[in-house]
Coordinates of all heavy atoms in Angstrom, one line a residue:
M1369 N 1.5 9.5 -12.3 CA 2.1 8.7 -11.3 C 1.9 7.3 -11.4 O 2.6 6.4 -11.0 CB 1.7 9.3 -9.9 CG 2.2 8.6 -8.7 SD 2.0 9.3 -7.1 CE 0.6 10.3 -7.3
G1370 N 0.7 6.9 -12.0 CA 0.4 5.5 -12.2 C 0.1 4.7 -11.0 O 0.8 3.9 -10.5
L1371 N -1.1 5.0 -10.5 CA -1.6 4.3 -9.2 C -2.9 3.5 -9.6 O -3.8 3.4 -8.8 CB -1.9 5.3 -8.2 CG -0.7 6.1 -7.6 CD1 -1.1 7.1 -6.6 CD2 0.2 5.0 -7.0
D1372 N -2.8 2.8 -10.7 CA -4.0 2.0 -11.2 C -4.3 0.7 -10.3 O -5.3 0.2 -10.5 CB -3.9 1.7 -12.6 CG -2.6 0.8 -13.0 OD1 -1.6 1.1 -12.3 OD2 -2.7 0.0 -13.9
R1373 N -3.3 0.4 -9.5 CA -3.5 -0.8 -8.6 C -4.0 -0.5 -7.4 O -4.4 -1.3 -6.5 CB -2.2 -1.5 -8.5 CG -1.8 -2.2 -9.8 CD -0.5 -2.8 -9.7 NE -0.1 -3.4 -11.0 CZ 0.2 -4.7 -11.1 NH1 0.2 -5.6 -10.1 NH2 0.5 -5.2 -12.3
I1374 N -4.1 0.8 -6.9 CA -4.6 1.2 -5.6 C -6.1 1.6 -5.8 O -6.4 2.5 -6.6 CB -3.8 2.4 -5.0 CG1 -2.3 2.0 -5.0 CG2 -4.3 2.8 -3.7 CD1 -2.0 0.8 -4.2
V1375 N -6.9 0.9 -5.1 CA -8.4 1.1 -5.2 C -9.1 1.5 -3.9 O -8.7 0.9 -2.9 CB -9.0 -0.3 -5.8 CG1 -10.5 -0.2 -5.9 CG2 -8.3 -0.7 -7.1
I1376 N -9.9 2.4 -4.0 CA -10.8 2.8 -2.8 C -12.2 2.5 -3.1 O -12.8 3.1 -4.0 CB -10.6 4.2 -2.5 CG1 -9.1 4.4 -2.1 CG2 -11.5 4.6 -1.3 CD1 -8.7 5.9 -1.9
K1377 N -12.7 1.5 -2.5 CA -14.2 1.2 -2.6 C -14.9 1.2 -1.2 O -14.3 0.5 -0.3 CB -14.4 -0.3 -3.2 CG -13.9 -0.3 -4.6 CD -14.2 -1.8 -5.1 CE -13.7 -1.9 -6.5 NZ -13.9 -3.3 -7.0
P1378 N -15.9 2.0 -1.1 CA -16.5 2.0 0.3 C -17.0 0.7 0.9 O -16.9 0.5 2.1 CB -17.8 2.8 0.0 CG -17.5 3.6 -1.3 CD -16.6 2.7 -2.1
D1379 N -17.2 -0.3 0.0 CA -17.6 -1.6 0.7 C -16.6 -2.6 0.8 O -16.8 -3.8 1.1 CB -18.7 -2.2 -0.3 CG -18.3 -2.3 -1.7 OD1 -17.4 -1.6 -2.2 OD2 -18.7 -3.3 -2.5
V1380 N -15.3 -2.2 0.6 CA -14.2 -3.1 0.8 C -13.2 -2.5 1.8 O -12.7 -1.3 1.7 CB -13.3 -3.3 -0.6 CG1 -12.2 -4.2 -0.3 CG2 -14.3 -3.9 -1.6
C1381 N -13.0 -3.1 2.9 CA -12.1 -2.8 4.0 C -12.5 -1.4 4.5 O -11.6 -0.6 4.8 CB -10.7 -2.8 3.6 SG -10.1 -4.6 3.2
L1382 N -13.8 -1.1 4.7 CA -14.3 0.1 5.1 C -13.8 1.4 4.4 O -13.6 2.5 5.0 CB -13.9 0.3 6.6 CG -14.5 -0.8 7.6 CD1 -13.8 -0.7 8.9 CD2 -16.0 -0.8 7.6
G1383 N -13.5 1.2 3.1 CA -13.1 2.3 2.3 C -11.6 2.6 2.3 O -11.2 3.7 1.7
Q1384 N -10.8 1.9 3.0 CA -9.5 2.0 3.1 C -8.8 1.8 1.6 O -9.3 0.9 1.0 CB -8.7 1.2 4.0 CG -9.2 1.5 5.6 CD -8.5 0.5 6.5 OE1 -7.2 0.5 6.5 NE2 -9.2 -0.2 7.2
P1385 N -7.7 2.4 1.3 CA -7.1 2.0 0.0 C -6.6 0.6 0.1 O -5.9 0.2 1.0 CB -5.9 3.0 -0.1 CG -6.2 4.1 1.0 CD -7.1 3.5 2.0
T1386 N -6.9 -0.1 -1.0 CA -6.5 -1.5 -1.0 C -5.7 -1.8 -2.4 O -5.7 -0.9 -3.3 CB -7.6 -2.5 -1.0 OG1 -8.5 -2.3 -2.1 CG2 -8.4 -2.4 0.3
V1387 N -5.0 -2.9 -2.4 CA -4.3 -3.3 -3.6 C -5.2 -4.1 -4.5 O -5.8 -5.1 -4.2 CB -3.0 -4.1 -3.3 CG1 -2.4 -4.6 -4.5 CG2 -2.2 -3.3 -2.3
R1388 N -5.5 -3.5 -5.7 CA -6.3 -4.1 -6.7 C -7.7 -4.6 -6.3 O -8.2 -5.6 -6.8 CB -5.6 -5.3 -7.4 CG -4.4 -4.8 -8.3 CD -3.7 -5.9 -9.0 NE -2.9 -6.7 -8.1 CZ -3.0 -8.0 -7.9 NH1 -3.9 -8.7 -8.6 NH2 -2.1 -8.7 -7.2
G1389 N -8.2 -4.0 -5.1 CA -9.5 -4.4 -4.7 C -9.4 -5.6 -3.8 O -10.5 -6.1 -3.3
L1390 N -8.2 -6.2 -3.6 CA -8.1 -7.3 -2.8 C -8.3 -6.8 -1.3 O -8.3 -5.6 -1.1 CB -6.7 -7.9 -2.9 CG -6.2 -8.4 -4.2 CD1 -4.7 -8.7 -4.2 CD2 -7.0 -9.6 -4.7
R1391 N -8.5 -7.6 -0.4 CA -8.6 -7.2 1.0 C -7.3 -7.0 1.7 O -7.1 -7.5 2.8 CB -9.6 -8.2 1.8 CG -11.0 -8.1 1.1 CD -12.0 -8.8 1.9 NE -13.3 -8.7 1.3 CZ -14.1 -7.8 1.5 NH1 -13.8 -6.7 2.2 NH2 -15.3 -7.8 0.8
I1392 N -6.3 -6.6 1.0 CA -5.0 -6.2 1.5 C -4.9 -4.8 1.3 O -4.9 -4.2 0.2 CB -3.9 -6.9 0.7 CG1 -4.0 -8.5 0.8 CG2 -2.5 -6.5 1.1 CD1 -3.1 -9.2 0.0
T1393 N -4.8 -4.0 2.5 CA -4.8 -2.6 2.5 C -3.4 -2.1 2.3 O -2.4 -2.7 2.5 CB -5.3 -2.0 3.8 OG1 -4.5 -2.4 4.9 CG2 -6.8 -2.5 4.0
V1394 N -3.3 -0.9 1.8 CA -2.0 -0.1 1.7 C -1.3 0.0 3.0 O -0.1 -0.4 3.2 CB -2.3 1.3 1.1 CG1 -1.0 2.2 1.2 CG2 -2.7 1.2 -0.3
A1395 N -2.2 0.2 4.1 CA -1.6 0.3 5.4 C -0.9 -1.0 5.9 O 0.2 -1.0 6.5 CB -2.6 0.8 6.4
F1396 N -1.6 -2.1 5.6 CA -1.1 -3.4 5.9 C 0.3 -3.6 5.2 O 1.2 -4.2 5.9 CB -2.1 -4.5 5.5 CG -1.6 -5.9 5.9 CD1 -1.5 -6.3 7.3 CD2 -1.2 -6.8 4.9 CE1 -1.0 -7.6 7.6 CE2 -0.8 -8.0 5.2 CZ -0.6 -8.4 6.5
V1397 N 0.4 -3.4 4.0 CA 1.6 -3.6 3.3 C 2.7 -2.7 3.8 O 3.9 -3.1 4.0 CB 1.5 -3.4 1.7 CG1 2.8 -3.5 1.0 CG2 0.5 -4.4 1.1
L1398 N 2.4 -1.4 4.1 CA 3.4 -0.5 4.8 C 3.8 -1.1 6.1 O 5.1 -0.9 6.4 CB 2.7 0.8 4.8 CG 2.5 1.6 3.5 CD1 1.7 2.9 3.8 CD2 3.8 1.9 2.8
K1399 N 2.9 -1.6 6.8 CA 3.3 -2.1 8.2 C 4.3 -3.4 7.9 O 5.2 -3.5 8.8 CB 2.0 -2.5 9.0 CG 1.3 -1.4 9.4 CD 0.1 -1.7 10.2 CE -0.8 -0.5 10.5 NZ -2.1 -0.8 11.1
L1400 N 4.0 -4.2 7.0 CA 5.0 -5.3 6.8 C 6.3 -4.8 6.4 O 7.3 -5.2 6.9 CB 4.4 -6.2 5.5 CG 3.1 -6.9 5.8 CD1 2.6 -7.6 4.5 CD2 3.3 -7.9 6.9
L1401 N 6.3 -3.7 5.5 CA 7.7 -3.2 5.1 C 8.3 -2.5 6.3 O 9.6 -2.7 6.6 CB 7.5 -2.2 4.0 CG 7.1 -2.8 2.6 CD1 6.6 -1.6 1.7 CD2 8.2 -3.5 2.1
A1402 N 7.6 -1.8 7.2 CA 8.1 -1.2 8.4 C 8.6 -2.1 9.4 O 9.5 -1.8 10.2 CB 7.1 -0.2 8.9
S1403 N 8.1 -3.4 9.4 CA 8.5 -4.3 10.4 C 9.7 -5.2 9.8 O 10.0 -6.2 10.4 CB 7.3 -5.3 10.7 OG 7.0 -6.1 9.6
N1404 N 10.4 -4.6 8.9 CA 11.6 -5.2 8.3 C 11.5 -6.3 7.5 O 12.6 -7.1 7.3 CB 12.6 -5.3 9.5 CG 14.0 -5.0 9.0 OD1 14.2 -4.3 8.1 ND2 15.0 -5.6 9.7
L1405 N 10.3 -6.7 7.0 CA 10.2 -7.7 6.0 C 10.7 -7.3 4.7 O 10.4 -6.1 4.3 CB 8.7 -8.2 5.9 CG 8.2 -9.1 7.0 CD1 6.7 -9.4 6.7 CD2 9.0 -10.3 7.1
S1406 N 11.4 -8.1 3.9 CA 11.9 -7.7 2.5 C 10.7 -7.9 1.6 O 9.8 -8.6 1.9 CB 13.1 -8.5 2.2 OG 12.7 -9.9 2.0
V1407 N 10.9 -7.2 0.4 CA 9.9 -7.4 -0.6 C 9.7 -8.8 -1.0 O 8.6 -9.3 -1.1 CB 10.1 -6.4 -1.7 CG1 9.3 -6.8 -3.0 CG2 10.1 -5.0 -1.3
P1408 N 10.9 -9.6 -1.2 CA 10.7 -11.0 -1.5 C 10.0 -11.8 -0.5 O 9.2 -12.7 -0.8 CB 12.1 -11.5 -1.7 CG 13.0 -10.3 -2.1 CD 12.2 -9.2 -1.3
E1409 N 10.2 -11.5 0.8 CA 9.5 -12.2 1.9 C 8.1 -11.9 1.8 O 7.2 -12.8 2.0 CB 10.1 -11.7 3.2 CG 11.5 -12.3 3.5 CD 12.1 -11.7 4.7 OE1 11.8 -10.5 5.0 OE2 12.8 -12.5 5.4
I1410 N 7.7 -10.6 1.6 CA 6.2 -10.3 1.4 C 5.5 -11.0 0.3 O 4.5 -11.5 0.4 CB 6.1 -8.7 1.3 CG1 6.5 -8.0 2.7 CG2 4.6 -8.4 1.0 CD1 6.7 -6.6 2.6
L1411 N 6.2 -10.9 -0.8 CA 5.8 -11.7 -2.0 C 5.5 -13.2 -1.8 O 4.6 -13.8 -2.3 CB 6.5 -11.3 -3.3 CG 6.6 -9.8 -3.6 CD1 7.6 -9.7 -4.8 CD2 5.2 -9.4 -4.1
E1412 N 6.4 -13.7 -1.0 CA 6.3 -15.2 -0.7 C 5.2 -15.4 0.2 O 4.4 -16.4 0.1 CB 7.6 -15.7 -0.2 CG 7.6 -17.1 0.1 CD 9.0 -17.7 0.6 OE1 10.0 -17.1 0.3 OE2 8.9 -18.7 1.3
A1413 N 5.0 -14.5 1.2 CA 4.0 -14.8 2.2 C 2.5 -14.4 1.6 O 1.6 -15.0 2.1 CB 4.2 -13.9 3.4
Y1414 N 2.5 -13.5 0.7 CA 1.2 -13.1 0.0 C 1.3 -13.3 -1.5 O 1.6 -12.3 -2.1 CB 0.9 -11.7 0.5 CG 0.8 -11.6 1.9 CD1 1.8 -11.2 2.8 CD2 -0.5 -11.8 2.6 CE1 1.6 -11.2 4.1 CE2 -0.7 -11.8 3.9 CZ 0.5 -11.5 4.7 OH 0.3 -11.4 6.1
P1415 N 1.2 -14.5 -2.0 CA 1.4 -14.8 -3.4 C 0.4 -14.0 -4.3 O 0.7 -13.8 -5.5 CB 1.3 -16.2 -3.5 CG 0.6 -16.7 -2.3 CD 0.9 -15.7 -1.3
E1416 N -0.6 -13.5 -3.7 CA -1.5 -12.6 -4.6 C -1.0 -11.3 -4.9 O -1.5 -10.6 -5.8 CB -2.9 -12.7 -4.0 CG -2.9 -12.0 -2.6 CD -2.8 -12.9 -1.4 OE1 -1.9 -13.8 -1.5 OE2 -3.5 -12.8 -0.4
L1417 N 0.0 -10.9 -4.2 CA 0.6 -9.6 -4.4 C 1.7 -9.8 -5.5 O 2.3 -10.8 -5.7 CB 1.3 -9.0 -3.2 CG 0.4 -8.6 -2.1 CD1 1.1 -8.1 -0.8 CD2 -0.6 -7.4 -2.6
E1418 N 1.9 -8.7 -6.2 CA 3.0 -8.6 -7.2 C 3.9 -7.5 -6.9 O 3.6 -6.6 -6.2 CB 2.4 -8.4 -8.6 CG 1.4 -9.5 -9.0 CD 0.7 -9.2 -10.3 OE1 0.9 -8.2 -10.9 OE2 -0.2 -10.1 -10.6
L1419 N 5.1 -7.6 -7.5 CA 6.2 -6.4 -7.3 C 5.6 -5.1 -7.5 O 5.8 -4.1 -6.8 CB 7.4 -6.7 -7.9 CG 8.5 -5.7 -7.9 CD1 9.0 -5.6 -6.4 CD2 9.6 -6.1 -8.7
E1420 N 4.9 -4.9 -8.6 CA 4.3 -3.7 -9.0 C 3.2 -3.1 -8.0 O 3.0 -1.9 -7.7 CB 3.6 -3.8 -10.4 CG 3.1 -2.4 -10.8 CD 4.1 -1.2 -11.0 OE1 5.3 -1.5 -11.1 OE2 3.7 0.0 -10.9
D1421 N 2.6 -4.1 -7.3 CA 1.7 -3.7 -6.2 C 2.4 -3.0 -5.1 O 2.0 -1.9 -4.6 CB 0.9 -4.9 -5.6 CG 0.1 -5.7 -6.6 OD1 -0.5 -4.9 -7.5 OD2 -0.1 -6.9 -6.5
I1422 N 3.5 -3.5 -4.7 CA 4.3 -2.9 -3.6 C 4.9 -1.6 -4.0 O 4.9 -0.6 -3.2 CB 5.4 -3.9 -3.1 CG1 4.7 -5.1 -2.5 CG2 6.4 -3.2 -2.2 CD1 5.6 -6.2 -2.1
R1423 N 5.4 -1.5 -5.3 CA 5.8 -0.2 -5.8 C 4.7 0.9 -5.7 O 4.9 2.0 -5.3 CB 6.3 -0.3 -7.2 CG 7.6 -1.0 -7.3 CD 8.1 -0.9 -8.8 NE 9.3 -1.7 -8.9 CZ 9.6 -2.6 -9.8 NH1 8.7 -2.9 -10.7 NH2 10.7 -3.2 -9.8
Q1424 N 3.5 0.4 -6.1 CA 2.4 1.5 -6.1 C 2.0 1.8 -4.6 O 1.6 2.9 -4.4 CB 1.3 1.0 -7.0 CG 1.6 1.0 -8.4 CD 0.4 1.0 -9.3 OE1 -0.7 1.2 -8.9 NE2 0.7 0.6 -10.6
V1425 N 2.1 0.8 -3.8 CA 1.8 1.1 -2.3 C 2.8 2.2 -1.8 O 2.4 3.2 -1.2 CB 1.9 -0.2 -1.5 CG1 2.1 0.2 0.1 CG2 0.7 -1.0 -1.7
L1426 N 4.0 2.1 -2.1 CA 5.0 3.1 -1.7 C 4.7 4.4 -2.4 O 4.8 5.5 -1.7 CB 6.4 2.6 -2.0 CG 6.9 1.4 -1.1 CD1 8.2 0.9 -1.6 CD2 7.0 1.8 0.4
N1427 N 4.5 4.4 -3.6 CA 4.2 5.7 -4.4 C 2.8 6.4 -3.8 O 2.9 7.5 -3.6 CB 4.0 5.4 -5.9 CG 5.3 5.3 -6.6 OD1 6.3 5.7 -6.2 ND2 5.2 4.5 -7.8
Y1428 N 1.9 5.6 -3.5 CA 0.7 6.1 -2.9 C 0.9 6.7 -1.5 O 0.5 7.8 -1.2 CB -0.4 5.0 -2.8 CG -1.7 5.5 -2.2 CD1 -2.7 6.1 -3.0 CD2 -1.9 5.5 -0.9 CE1 -3.9 6.6 -2.4 CE2 -3.1 6.0 -0.3 CZ -4.0 6.6 -1.0 OH -5.2 7.0 -0.5
A1429 N 1.7 6.1 -0.7 CA 2.0 6.5 0.6 C 2.8 7.9 0.5 O 2.6 8.8 1.2 CB 2.9 5.5 1.4
A1430 N 3.8 7.9 -0.4 CA 4.6 9.1 -0.6 C 3.7 10.3 -1.0 O 3.8 11.4 -0.6 CB 5.7 8.9 -1.7
W1431 N 2.7 10.0 -2.0 CA 1.8 11.0 -2.5 C 0.9 11.5 -1.4 O 0.7 12.7 -1.2 CB 1.0 10.4 -3.6 CG -0.1 11.3 -4.0 CD1 -0.1 12.5 -4.7 CD2 -1.5 11.2 -3.6 NE1 -1.4 13.0 -4.9 CE2 -2.2 12.3 -4.2 CE3 -2.2 10.3 -2.8 CZ2 -3.6 12.4 -4.0 CZ3 -3.5 10.5 -2.6 CH2 -4.2 11.5 -3.2
A1432 N 0.4 10.6 -0.5 CA -0.4 10.9 0.6 C 0.2 11.8 1.6 O -0.5 12.8 2.0 CB -1.0 9.6 1.2
V1433 N 1.4 11.6 1.9 CA 2.0 12.4 3.0 C 2.6 13.6 2.4 O 2.7 14.6 3.2 CB 3.1 11.6 3.8 CG1 2.5 10.4 4.5 CG2 4.2 11.2 2.9
S1434 N 2.9 13.7 1.1 CA 3.5 14.9 0.6 C 2.5 16.1 0.5 O 2.9 17.2 0.4 CB 4.0 14.6 -0.8 OG 3.0 14.4 -1.7
D1435 N 1.3 15.8 0.6 CA 0.2 16.8 0.5 C -0.1 17.4 1.9 O -0.9 18.3 2.0 CB -1.1 16.2 -0.1 CG -1.7 17.0 -1.3 OD1 -0.9 17.9 -1.7 OD2 -2.8 16.7 -1.5
Q1436 N 0.6 16.9 2.9 CA 0.2 17.3 4.2 C 1.3 18.3 4.8 O 2.5 18.0 4.5 CB 0.1 16.2 5.2 CG -1.0 15.2 4.9 CD -1.1 14.0 5.8 OE1 -0.6 14.1 6.9 NE2 -1.7 13.0 5.3
T1437 N 0.9 19.3 5.5 CA 1.9 20.3 6.0 C 1.6 20.4 7.5 O 0.5 20.4 7.9 CB 1.9 21.6 5.4 OG1 0.5 22.2 5.5 CG2 2.3 21.6 3.9
H1438 N 2.6 20.6 8.3 CA 2.4 20.7 9.7 C 3.4 21.8 10.2 O 4.5 21.9 9.7 CB 2.8 19.4 10.4 CG 1.9 18.2 10.1 ND1 0.7 18.1 10.5 CD2 2.2 17.2 9.1 CE1 0.1 17.0 9.9 NE2 1.1 16.4 9.1
G1439 N 2.9 22.6 11.1 CA 3.8 23.7 11.7 C 4.8 22.9 12.7 O 4.5 21.9 13.3
V1440 N 6.0 23.5 12.6 CA 7.0 23.0 13.5 C 7.3 24.0 14.6 O 7.6 25.2 14.2 CB 8.3 22.7 12.7 CG1 9.4 22.2 13.6 CG2 8.0 21.6 11.7
L1441 N 7.3 23.6 15.8 CA 7.6 24.5 16.9 C 9.0 24.6 17.1 O 9.7 23.5 17.2 CB 6.9 24.1 18.2 CG 5.3 24.0 18.1 CD1 4.8 23.5 19.4 CD2 4.8 25.4 17.9
A1442 N 9.7 25.7 17.2 CA 11.1 25.8 17.5 C 11.4 26.0 18.9 O 10.7 26.4 19.7 CB 11.6 27.0 16.6

């Protein structure tokens, strides 16, 4: 799947997944995308991020939620 840019270190951001060990968490990038910022806007606002970082954030999020199952009440 190629998630070499997503790093989890206990001493960085309380062990949350981050982008390349920067103090930018996967959750933060997802919140930026969810708040309707475009990828170019995010890259402009956070020049330390690269397009591949955002791709891997999305891949990581998809992988993380795909492993979870929940019962559905009918």
Side-chain angles (χ1 to χ4, degrees):
M1369 175 169 27
L1371 293 175
D1372 59 325
R1373 293 175 179 240
I1374 305 302
V1375 178
I1376 299 172
K1377 294 182 178 180
D1379 58 332
V1380 177
C1381 294
L1382 301 172
Q1384 295 180 58
T1386 61
V1387 176
R1388 290 185 283 124
L1390 301 170
R1391 295 189 180 276
I1392 298 176
T1393 65
V1394 167
F1396 179 71
V1397 176
L1398 290 171
K1399 287 175 186 175
L1400 293 174
L1401 291 165
S1403 67
N1404 215 22
L1405 286 176
S1406 69
V1407 171
E1409 289 171 326
I1410 294 169
L1411 295 174
E1412 184 177 333
Y1414 298 92
E1416 60 269 45
L1417 290 176
E1418 300 172 2
L1419 180 58
E1420 183 60 21
D1421 297 328
I1422 295 176
R1423 285 189 184 127
Q1424 287 196 22
V1425 161
L1426 291 170
N1427 283 334
Y1428 180 84
W1431 170 80
V1433 299
S1434 70
D1435 229 14
Q1436 300 177 19
T1437 58
H1438 301 281
V1440 177
L1441 299 175

